[in-house]
Amino acid sequence: MPTISTRVPEDLEAELEAYLESERLDRSTAVRKLLSEGLEEWRRERALDRFTDGEVSLTRAAELADLSVWEFARLVEGADIAWVSGDQLEADLEDL
């Protein structure tokens, strides 16, 4: 497993220490968990943006977000995005 080193501001380090105590995790495990959760959120936001902009279909956006189509549809609904257009519907039907 590769190693990543970084410097963080003191306020972030203090928050990390509070997180370590709260979750009862060692520093490496906590940083991996937070990084994984952050990247997961980034993937979903990026997929939502690309879907909203009409760059990708619902099915492709779900793949980019690493979610099922139904999970991604719930994510879109939760983001209150109008998501059914004729072009997208046709592309999604072809994908299915």
Side-chain angles (χ1 to χ4, degrees), residues 1 11-12 39 58-59 63 78 94:
M1 185 180 313
D11 59 331
L12 272 180
L39 288 172
L58 180 74
T59 304
E63 290 171 2
E94 287 175 12

Side-chain angles (χ1 to χ4, degrees), residues 8 13 16-17 20 25-32:
V8 296
E13 184 182 24
L16 179 59
E17 291 300 325
L20 296 175
L25 297 171
D26 63 88
R27 186 177 290 253
S28 292
T29 302
V31 170
R32 278 192 304 272

Side-chain angles (χ1 to χ4, degrees), residues 1-55:
M1 185 180 313
T3 300
I4 298 173
S5 298
T6 188
R7 296 181 190 277
V8 296
E10 288 181 13
D11 59 331
L12 272 180
E13 184 182 24
E15 281 190 75
L16 179 59
E17 291 300 325
Y19 179 76
L20 296 175
E21 281 184 37
S22 172
E23 298 295 314
R24 296 184 179 161
L25 297 171
D26 63 88
R27 186 177 290 253
S28 292
T29 302
V31 170
R32 278 192 304 272
K33 182 178 177 190
L34 290 169
L35 181 59
S36 177
E37 290 172 359
L39 288 172
E40 180 179 303
E41 180 65 23
W42 175 77
R43 274 192 311 274
R44 290 176 182 188
E45 287 177 13
R46 185 167 177 254
L48 270 173
D49 288 344
R50 291 187 67 194
F51 177 71
T52 303
D53 291 344
E55 293 178 37

Side-chain angles (χ1 to χ4, degrees), residues 44-94:
R44 290 176 182 188
E45 287 177 13
R46 185 167 177 254
L48 270 173
D49 288 344
R50 291 187 67 194
F51 177 71
T52 303
D53 291 344
E55 293 178 37
V56 296
S57 68
L58 180 74
T59 304
R60 179 67 182 133
E63 290 171 2
L64 293 171
D66 197 25
L67 297 171
S68 73
V69 172
W70 300 113
E71 290 169 324
F72 190 75
R74 282 192 293 277
L75 184 66
V76 170
E77 181 181 34
D80 200 26
I81 297 170
W83 56 283
V84 178
S85 74
D87 293 340
Q88 287 176 337
L89 185 57
E90 284 182 34
D92 288 337
L93 289 173
E94 287 175 12

